[in-house]
């Protein structure tokens, strides 16, 4: 299969390219970043928002693996136009050109951020959906969301793909819009798609020293400077850290499964390790693997962050026969030694 990987020079995209080539696929990359020295995969340099460039990259393509995006929570709401342009306009241009050229197979890089908070249970009221955390509570160090019905304590659990969607920041909103655009494309262009909702991806090639990277990158960058990782809130936020090689393999099995899918639909799958850890625990494991200073829990917070969100990846395991291979401690120990990428523009 000839596959276009948008964002194929990036952190996750480059891992997807490596996996697809290893499985015998014919791959072409579309990315703003020029082809790395020695890279033999065909590479179109350009912006996914430019229709002419996209048409060139789609020549002879059977399927698209859409990784290109502006990622992370960002700095503040002034980033909103950049996120909407890169993620939603870029996706709309790509899908329009796919429709025009009859390319009907898509794997979309989605995100768990579309859920907002994860799944919570109250002893008195069952499964509930807490609203955004109040600024006054965060400032007072009350980080756990209360039950919206009784104000009582909640127990966090795993969130499945059929959970209500409730994006809590600009990035999350654009990722949900990408899914909706893809669904509209599938219905209107007789396409078939899979949206992979990534959880917290880490591993070699993560960009360093950028406010748009993931938390593992922040901590690793601090440790590389000899500084203690700064852990926000109380460090007890629950996340699912999944290795980039496992995410790349999920993309490959999704692409190969598209041939058996009915046209007109896009199916969503969580991509997580299934192994829940706190942010504070991750920081400690990484610091020790780097032989660096112990993390500092600061009590700081970011509006728009959620408290707990962890995946139920059972659907992906059952329907696409995928399971993660890289364990948490093994992956973090390797990540402590692996190279990170310079942020774009450096």
């Amino acid at each position: 299969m000839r596959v276009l990987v948008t964002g194929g020079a990036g952190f996750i995209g480059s891992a997807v390219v490596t996996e697809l080539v290893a499985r015998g696929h014919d791959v072409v990359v579309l990315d703003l970043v020029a082809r790395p020295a020695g890279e033999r995969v065909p590479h179109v340099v350009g912006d996914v928002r430019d229709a002419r460039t996209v048409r060139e990259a789609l020549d002879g393509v059977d399927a698209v693996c859409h990784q290109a995006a502006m990622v992370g929570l960002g700095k503040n709401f002034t980033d909103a136009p950049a996120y909407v342009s890169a993620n939603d306009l870029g996706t709309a241009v790509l899908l329009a050109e796919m429709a025009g050229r009859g390319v009907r197979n898509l794997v979309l890089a989605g995100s768990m951020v579309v859920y907002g908070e994860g799944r919570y249970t109250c002893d008195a009221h069952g499964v509930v959906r807490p609203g955004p955390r109040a600024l006054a509570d965060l400032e007072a160090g009350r980080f756990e969301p209360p039950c919206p019905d009784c104000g009582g304590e909640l127990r966090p659990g795993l969130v499945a793909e059929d959970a209500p969607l409730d994006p809590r920041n600009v990035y999350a909103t654009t990722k949900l819009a990408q899914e909706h655009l893809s669904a509209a494309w599938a219905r209107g262009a007789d396409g078939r798609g899979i949206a992979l909702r990534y959880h917290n991806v880490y591993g070699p090639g993560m960009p360093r020293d950028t406010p748009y990277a993931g938390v593992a990158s922040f901590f690793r960058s601090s440790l590389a400077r000899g500084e203690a990782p700064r852990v926000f809130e109380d460090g007890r936020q629950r996340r699912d850290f999944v290795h980039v090689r496992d995410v790349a393999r999920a993309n490959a099995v999704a692409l190969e499964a598209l041939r058996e899918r009915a046209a007109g639909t896009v199916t969503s799958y969580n991509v997580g390790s299934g192994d829940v850890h706190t942010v504070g625990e991750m920081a400690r494991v990484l610091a020790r693997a780097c032989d660096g200073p112990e993390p500092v829990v600061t009590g700081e917070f970011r509006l728009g962050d959620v408290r707990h969100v962890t995946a139920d990846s059972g659907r992906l395991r059952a329907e696409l026969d995928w399971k993660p291979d890289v364990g948490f401690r093994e992956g973090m120990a390797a990540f402590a030694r692996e190279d990170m990428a310079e942020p774009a523009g450096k």
Side-chain angles (χ1 to χ4, degrees):
M1 185 175 2
R2 185 170 176 84
V3 182
L4 171 64
V5 180
T6 70
F11 166 44
I12 298 174
S14 60
V16 171
V17 169
T18 298
E19 179 70 19
L20 292 176
V21 170
R23 295 167 83 105
H25 294 288
D26 183 13
V27 178
V28 59
V29 166
L30 170 60
D31 202 295
L32 286 167
V33 177
R35 174 169 47 196
E39 177 61 69
R40 290 179 290 182
V41 172
H43 192 114
V44 177
V45 178
D47 196 319
V48 74
R49 291 168 288 191
D50 180 72
R52 180 178 298 178
T53 301
V54 172
R55 282 195 295 273
E56 176 189 349
L58 284 171
D59 187 36
V61 161
D62 303 301
V64 173
C65 187
H66 184 32
Q67 305 292 321
M70 185 175 179
V71 301
L73 188 58
K75 297 175 183 177
N76 52 50
F77 195 81
T78 61
D79 287 328
Y83 273 108
V84 172
S85 177
N87 296 353
D88 298 340
L89 176 59
T91 298
V93 171
L94 173 67
L95 293 172
E97 293 303 321
M98 288 174 63
R101 298 186 69 88
V103 180
R104 294 189 173 90
N105 298 293
L106 171 73
V107 172
L108 172 69
S111 175
M112 54 82 179
V113 295
V114 299
Y115 298 116
E117 289 285 354
R119 187 178 191 273
Y120 291 87
T121 304
C122 172
D123 287 340
H125 297 97
V127 175
V128 296
R129 296 285 297 174
R133 294 179 293 173
L135 177 60
D137 286 339
L138 295 171
E139 290 176 336
R142 295 188 293 268
F143 301 120
E144 294 289 344
C147 174
D149 296 321
C150 67
E153 185 176 340
L154 298 177
R155 287 180 282 110
L158 301 182
V159 60
E161 291 88 350
D162 59 356
L165 303 180
D166 185 18
R168 298 285 177 91
N169 55 60
V170 171
Y171 170 62
T173 301
T174 66
K175 295 306 290 183
L176 181 55
Q178 285 185 316
E179 290 196 25
H180 288 318
L181 286 166
S182 299
W185 160 81
R187 291 190 295 270
D190 204 29
R192 55 178 68 87
I194 289 175
L196 297 175
R197 292 173 178 167
Y198 303 158
H199 282 249
N200 290 72
V201 187
Y202 73 97
M206 284 194 86
R208 62 181 179 87
D209 299 328
T210 166
Y212 301 95
V215 66
S217 172
F218 297 160
F219 295 162
R220 173 69 197 282
S221 294
S222 295
L223 290 161
R225 297 190 297 267
E227 301 171 0
R230 295 177 60 83
V231 180
F232 280 16
E233 301 189 15
D234 58 5
R236 296 176 184 170
Q237 310 93 304
R238 291 160 51 102
R239 296 292 187 268
D240 185 322
F241 299 99
V242 59
H243 197 275
V244 68
R245 289 200 303 270
D246 289 327
V247 172
R249 197 160 40 80
N251 276 271
V253 299
L255 279 165
E256 291 162 1
L258 282 174
R259 289 171 289 196
E260 309 301 323
R261 295 299 171 106
T265 61
V266 176
T267 306
S268 299
Y269 293 94
N270 289 330
V271 184
S273 69
D275 192 10
V276 176
H277 296 274
T278 68
V279 172
E281 180 186 1
M282 187 271 282
R284 290 191 297 273
V285 168
L286 190 56
R288 290 165 189 169
C290 291
D291 196 24
E294 283 291 298
V296 175
V297 178
T298 69
E300 297 171 90
F301 59 87
R302 298 189 302 177
L303 282 177
D305 258 343
V306 297
R307 180 60 174 175
H308 306 294
V309 57
T310 51
D312 178 352
S313 298
R315 178 188 288 181
L316 183 61
R317 293 171 183 249
E319 296 186 10
L320 299 188
D321 195 27
W322 171 94
K323 65 179 182 62
D325 287 337
V326 183
F328 174 74
R329 292 186 180 276
E330 168 199 356
M332 287 295 168
F335 180 51
R337 304 186 299 270
E338 290 163 334
D339 290 336
M340 298 180 72
E342 293 287 348
K346 288 194 176 182

